[in-house]
Amino acid sequence: MDTFFSYQKKNQQRYLDELFDLLKIPSVSAVPQHQKDCVACAKMLAQRLTEAGLDQVKCYSTKGNPIVYGEKIIDKKLPTVLVYGHYDVQPPDPLELWNTQPFQPTIKSGKIFARGASDDKGQMYMHVKAIESLLQTNSLPLNVKVMIEGEEEIGCVHLEDFVIRNKKLLQADVVLISDSAMISLKTPSIETGLRGLTYLEVELTSADRDLHSGVYGGAVANPIVVLTKMLASLHDKKNKITIPDFYKNVAKLSAAERKKINAIPFSGAAFKKEIGIKKEFGEDGYSTIERIGIRPTLEINGIWGGYTQAGAKTVLPAKAFAKISCRLVPHQSHAEIAALVEKHLKKITPPEVQIKITRMSGGEPYDMTMDSIEYKAAEQAMLKGLGKMPVPTKGGGSIPVVANFQKHLNTPVILLGFGLNDDNLHAPNEKFNIEHYLKGIETIAYFHQLYATMKNKKSS
């Protein structure tokens, strides 16, 4: 590894410069006007994969944004690692809350501030640079395949179809993903599970147009008032979700399992300070760690309608809208939960308004075993790269493609994340520590070497 470290150290500044070039591209998949930027980002990544030494590099067209693929097959008898990442990012809004320009990456106190810095351009690009460093120093001990897509932030709309149609191309022994968080460099961690996701948009309509609130107010149902009452009824006083059968398939953990989860280092005071809240909140009977990692949720992500500009306009709106997401735990199906939410909302909709529900995206939850070679290789890689044995955690977020890899490729997935929970993902002032970026490159290289060794020992 001496030549690897020498190469990496020599090229550190270039690795940062190239990441900055990616971060400058506003590849926002949720906004159609940015599709050209997504294509530009995909083309830049294809160029970088080629420069890194990968073969068969190509931008595959989809009905949405391109999927970038490259590989280096040293010997078909060797293990193969499939690296997954995404180049699309969340919208930067609200812009006024950013301290810097979201697509002009800025370094402050050893951190890169930019949209996509941590989710997922910074973490995804660690893999590209780790593979380059291994290839350019003749240190790559196995086969690698790299797939980087541009629709993760809108639910991997076209990825499942791509995976189904390209099973042979993507076949591997393990899928390696860095799109998650660790506790810290001092307390490294590996996420052994993710929550699934169901995302819906609700539209209520009363009249066929906005009305004068003086002439019609009190005689026509206000859809904003109706919608807020409906949404408020989705949780009871103990913050439990009231939708019938919502918890039907949620596994009940034993006292021993819950004790193990709560043994993870956690400070309530630090948690509150980190995000500026005065009191922890959530479902009664569960700790904050449990609420985030092992319990399902229902959240209102947005609500709007009527007049919201400066000044006064006495309008009785014709429509009201809300976006709802549910985070799901193992044994819950995103399609089943979407159907339950739809059924319940329609049932509680009063006759004075009409309801329309649109399913936006969804993904299944993921749970992995810690007894596998894949997990042990990741564990030992973090020990070598960061100097401490990582602790297992359950992730509160969702990566829809993870369950797809398991389902269609029958391949185990390792979540080797180097971000932090306070990296402001999906929020203003997103950041990624430079030290995490560089340490991530080293640790990923260790994973490849350790996994190759462990896999070869098992097969011999």
Side-chain angles (χ1 to χ4, degrees), residues 170-188:
L170 301 175
Q171 197 58 55
D173 295 279
V174 62
V175 179
L176 188 60
I177 301 176
S178 295
D179 190 16
S180 52
M182 61 162 61
I183 296 172
S184 69
L185 287 181
K186 292 182 179 180
T187 307

PDB file of all heavy atoms in Angstrom, residues 170-188:
ATOM      1  N   LEU A 170     -24.182  -6.339 -14.606  1.00  0.00           N
ATOM      2  CA  LEU A 170     -24.013  -5.860 -13.233  1.00  0.00           C
ATOM      3  C   LEU A 170     -23.710  -6.969 -12.232  1.00  0.00           C
ATOM      4  O   LEU A 170     -23.531  -6.675 -11.043  1.00  0.00           O
ATOM      5  CB  LEU A 170     -25.297  -5.129 -12.796  1.00  0.00           C
ATOM      6  CG  LEU A 170     -25.703  -3.918 -13.636  1.00  0.00           C
ATOM      7  CD1 LEU A 170     -27.047  -3.378 -13.175  1.00  0.00           C
ATOM      8  CD2 LEU A 170     -24.647  -2.824 -13.579  1.00  0.00           C
ATOM      9  N   GLN A 171     -23.641  -8.209 -12.676  1.00  0.00           N
ATOM     10  CA  GLN A 171     -23.424  -9.313 -11.745  1.00  0.00           C
ATOM     11  C   GLN A 171     -22.123  -9.124 -10.970  1.00  0.00           C
ATOM     12  O   GLN A 171     -21.083  -8.813 -11.543  1.00  0.00           O
ATOM     13  CB  GLN A 171     -23.394 -10.646 -12.492  1.00  0.00           C
ATOM     14  CG  GLN A 171     -23.591 -11.851 -11.587  1.00  0.00           C
ATOM     15  CD  GLN A 171     -24.897 -11.796 -10.805  1.00  0.00           C
ATOM     16  OE1 GLN A 171     -25.965 -11.669 -11.388  1.00  0.00           O
ATOM     17  NE2 GLN A 171     -24.817 -11.854  -9.495  1.00  0.00           N
ATOM     18  N   ALA A 172     -22.200  -9.306  -9.658  1.00  0.00           N
ATOM     19  CA  ALA A 172     -21.039  -9.086  -8.788  1.00  0.00           C
ATOM     20  C   ALA A 172     -21.202  -9.921  -7.530  1.00  0.00           C
ATOM     21  O   ALA A 172     -22.254 -10.530  -7.289  1.00  0.00           O
ATOM     22  CB  ALA A 172     -20.905  -7.609  -8.441  1.00  0.00           C
ATOM     23  N   ASP A 173     -20.147  -9.962  -6.725  1.00  0.00           N
ATOM     24  CA  ASP A 173     -20.194 -10.682  -5.450  1.00  0.00           C
ATOM     25  C   ASP A 173     -20.726  -9.808  -4.327  1.00  0.00           C
ATOM     26  O   ASP A 173     -21.269 -10.311  -3.341  1.00  0.00           O
ATOM     27  CB  ASP A 173     -18.794 -11.187  -5.088  1.00  0.00           C
ATOM     28  CG  ASP A 173     -18.291 -12.223  -6.065  1.00  0.00           C
ATOM     29  OD1 ASP A 173     -18.687 -13.392  -5.930  1.00  0.00           O
ATOM     30  OD2 ASP A 173     -17.517 -11.849  -6.974  1.00  0.00           O
ATOM     31  N   VAL A 174     -20.556  -8.500  -4.457  1.00  0.00           N
ATOM     32  CA  VAL A 174     -21.017  -7.560  -3.439  1.00  0.00           C
ATOM     33  C   VAL A 174     -21.236  -6.199  -4.086  1.00  0.00           C
ATOM     34  O   VAL A 174     -20.551  -5.847  -5.053  1.00  0.00           O
ATOM     35  CB  VAL A 174     -19.995  -7.440  -2.275  1.00  0.00           C
ATOM     36  CG1 VAL A 174     -18.656  -6.911  -2.774  1.00  0.00           C
ATOM     37  CG2 VAL A 174     -20.526  -6.572  -1.141  1.00  0.00           C
ATOM     38  N   VAL A 175     -22.209  -5.460  -3.575  1.00  0.00           N
ATOM     39  CA  VAL A 175     -22.424  -4.078  -3.993  1.00  0.00           C
ATOM     40  C   VAL A 175     -21.921  -3.166  -2.871  1.00  0.00           C
ATOM     41  O   VAL A 175     -22.271  -3.359  -1.701  1.00  0.00           O
ATOM     42  CB  VAL A 175     -23.918  -3.786  -4.259  1.00  0.00           C
ATOM     43  CG1 VAL A 175     -24.103  -2.326  -4.661  1.00  0.00           C
ATOM     44  CG2 VAL A 175     -24.455  -4.699  -5.346  1.00  0.00           C
ATOM     45  N   LEU A 176     -21.094  -2.198  -3.229  1.00  0.00           N
ATOM     46  CA  LEU A 176     -20.501  -1.279  -2.262  1.00  0.00           C
ATOM     47  C   LEU A 176     -21.052   0.125  -2.493  1.00  0.00           C
ATOM     48  O   LEU A 176     -20.950   0.656  -3.603  1.00  0.00           O
ATOM     49  CB  LEU A 176     -18.979  -1.287  -2.402  1.00  0.00           C
ATOM     50  CG  LEU A 176     -18.150  -0.537  -1.350  1.00  0.00           C
ATOM     51  CD1 LEU A 176     -18.402  -1.091   0.040  1.00  0.00           C
ATOM     52  CD2 LEU A 176     -16.670  -0.601  -1.702  1.00  0.00           C
ATOM     53  N   ILE A 177     -21.644   0.704  -1.451  1.00  0.00           N
ATOM     54  CA  ILE A 177     -22.297   2.013  -1.567  1.00  0.00           C
ATOM     55  C   ILE A 177     -21.826   2.942  -0.456  1.00  0.00           C
ATOM     56  O   ILE A 177     -21.794   2.555   0.716  1.00  0.00           O
ATOM     57  CB  ILE A 177     -23.829   1.876  -1.483  1.00  0.00           C
ATOM     58  CG1 ILE A 177     -24.356   0.960  -2.595  1.00  0.00           C
ATOM     59  CG2 ILE A 177     -24.500   3.245  -1.555  1.00  0.00           C
ATOM     60  CD1 ILE A 177     -25.852   0.700  -2.509  1.00  0.00           C
ATOM     61  N   SER A 178     -21.477   4.172  -0.816  1.00  0.00           N
ATOM     62  CA  SER A 178     -21.214   5.213   0.177  1.00  0.00           C
ATOM     63  C   SER A 178     -22.218   6.333  -0.064  1.00  0.00           C
ATOM     64  O   SER A 178     -21.974   7.255  -0.848  1.00  0.00           O
ATOM     65  CB  SER A 178     -19.781   5.737   0.060  1.00  0.00           C
ATOM     66  OG  SER A 178     -18.844   4.737   0.371  1.00  0.00           O
ATOM     67  N   ASP A 179     -23.352   6.231   0.584  1.00  0.00           N
ATOM     68  CA  ASP A 179     -24.416   7.235   0.473  1.00  0.00           C
ATOM     69  C   ASP A 179     -25.138   7.305   1.812  1.00  0.00           C
ATOM     70  O   ASP A 179     -26.351   7.443   1.867  1.00  0.00           O
ATOM     71  CB  ASP A 179     -25.388   6.842  -0.646  1.00  0.00           C
ATOM     72  CG  ASP A 179     -26.374   7.960  -0.980  1.00  0.00           C
ATOM     73  OD1 ASP A 179     -26.121   9.111  -0.569  1.00  0.00           O
ATOM     74  OD2 ASP A 179     -27.402   7.680  -1.626  1.00  0.00           O
ATOM     75  N   SER A 180     -24.348   7.182   2.877  1.00  0.00           N
ATOM     76  CA  SER A 180     -24.914   7.127   4.223  1.00  0.00           C
ATOM     77  C   SER A 180     -23.942   7.803   5.184  1.00  0.00           C
ATOM     78  O   SER A 180     -22.912   8.347   4.769  1.00  0.00           O
ATOM     79  CB  SER A 180     -25.165   5.677   4.644  1.00  0.00           C
ATOM     80  OG  SER A 180     -23.998   4.888   4.474  1.00  0.00           O
ATOM     81  N   ALA A 181     -24.261   7.751   6.464  1.00  0.00           N
ATOM     82  CA  ALA A 181     -23.471   8.472   7.458  1.00  0.00           C
ATOM     83  C   ALA A 181     -22.819   7.535   8.456  1.00  0.00           C
ATOM     84  O   ALA A 181     -23.237   6.386   8.630  1.00  0.00           O
ATOM     85  CB  ALA A 181     -24.350   9.477   8.197  1.00  0.00           C
ATOM     86  N   MET A 182     -21.783   8.028   9.104  1.00  0.00           N
ATOM     87  CA  MET A 182     -21.174   7.360  10.247  1.00  0.00           C
ATOM     88  C   MET A 182     -21.357   8.279  11.458  1.00  0.00           C
ATOM     89  O   MET A 182     -21.739   9.450  11.310  1.00  0.00           O
ATOM     90  CB  MET A 182     -19.686   7.101  10.009  1.00  0.00           C
ATOM     91  CG  MET A 182     -18.874   8.361   9.787  1.00  0.00           C
ATOM     92  SD  MET A 182     -17.097   8.128  10.008  1.00  0.00           S
ATOM     93  CE  MET A 182     -16.755   6.931   8.756  1.00  0.00           C
ATOM     94  N   ILE A 183     -21.096   7.737  12.641  1.00  0.00           N
ATOM     95  CA  ILE A 183     -21.230   8.573  13.837  1.00  0.00           C
ATOM     96  C   ILE A 183     -20.157   9.654  13.828  1.00  0.00           C
ATOM     97  O   ILE A 183     -20.450  10.841  13.986  1.00  0.00           O
ATOM     98  CB  ILE A 183     -21.145   7.709  15.108  1.00  0.00           C
ATOM     99  CG1 ILE A 183     -22.336   6.739  15.152  1.00  0.00           C
ATOM    100  CG2 ILE A 183     -21.140   8.591  16.355  1.00  0.00           C
ATOM    101  CD1 ILE A 183     -22.261   5.707  16.266  1.00  0.00           C
ATOM    102  N   SER A 184     -18.901   9.265  13.640  1.00  0.00           N
ATOM    103  CA  SER A 184     -17.778  10.207  13.549  1.00  0.00           C
ATOM    104  C   SER A 184     -16.528   9.420  13.207  1.00  0.00           C
ATOM    105  O   SER A 184     -16.535   8.181  13.218  1.00  0.00           O
ATOM    106  CB  SER A 184     -17.576  10.963  14.868  1.00  0.00           C
ATOM    107  OG  SER A 184     -17.102  10.089  15.875  1.00  0.00           O
ATOM    108  N   LEU A 185     -15.429  10.124  12.925  1.00  0.00           N
ATOM    109  CA  LEU A 185     -14.166   9.426  12.701  1.00  0.00           C
ATOM    110  C   LEU A 185     -13.664   8.785  13.988  1.00  0.00           C
ATOM    111  O   LEU A 185     -13.002   7.750  13.965  1.00  0.00           O
ATOM    112  CB  LEU A 185     -13.108  10.398  12.157  1.00  0.00           C
ATOM    113  CG  LEU A 185     -13.266  10.858  10.698  1.00  0.00           C
ATOM    114  CD1 LEU A 185     -12.128  11.792  10.326  1.00  0.00           C
ATOM    115  CD2 LEU A 185     -13.313   9.682   9.739  1.00  0.00           C
ATOM    116  N   LYS A 186     -13.980   9.410  15.123  1.00  0.00           N
ATOM    117  CA  LYS A 186     -13.566   8.855  16.414  1.00  0.00           C
ATOM    118  C   LYS A 186     -14.418   7.644  16.795  1.00  0.00           C
ATOM    119  O   LYS A 186     -13.959   6.752  17.504  1.00  0.00           O
ATOM    120  CB  LYS A 186     -13.661   9.924  17.503  1.00  0.00           C
ATOM    121  CG  LYS A 186     -12.655  11.060  17.342  1.00  0.00           C
ATOM    122  CD  LYS A 186     -12.774  12.065  18.479  1.00  0.00           C
ATOM    123  CE  LYS A 186     -11.757  13.187  18.332  1.00  0.00           C
ATOM    124  NZ  LYS A 186     -11.877  14.181  19.436  1.00  0.00           N
ATOM    125  N   THR A 187     -15.678   7.650  16.352  1.00  0.00           N
ATOM    126  CA  THR A 187     -16.568   6.504  16.577  1.00  0.00           C
ATOM    127  C   THR A 187     -17.137   6.084  15.228  1.00  0.00           C
ATOM    128  O   THR A 187     -18.268   6.408  14.867  1.00  0.00           O
ATOM    129  CB  THR A 187     -17.714   6.869  17.546  1.00  0.00           C
ATOM    130  OG1 THR A 187     -17.170   7.435  18.742  1.00  0.00           O
ATOM    131  CG2 THR A 187     -18.531   5.626  17.906  1.00  0.00           C
ATOM    132  N   PRO A 188     -16.340   5.345  14.440  1.00  0.00           N
ATOM    133  CA  PRO A 188     -16.829   4.916  13.127  1.00  0.00           C
ATOM    134  C   PRO A 188     -18.014   3.962  13.272  1.00  0.00           C
ATOM    135  O   PRO A 188     -18.154   3.284  14.292  1.00  0.00           O
ATOM    136  CB  PRO A 188     -15.627   4.202  12.507  1.00  0.00           C
ATOM    137  CG  PRO A 188     -14.493   4.365  13.435  1.00  0.00           C
ATOM    138  CD  PRO A 188     -15.007   4.853  14.746  1.00  0.00           C
TER     139      PRO A 188
END
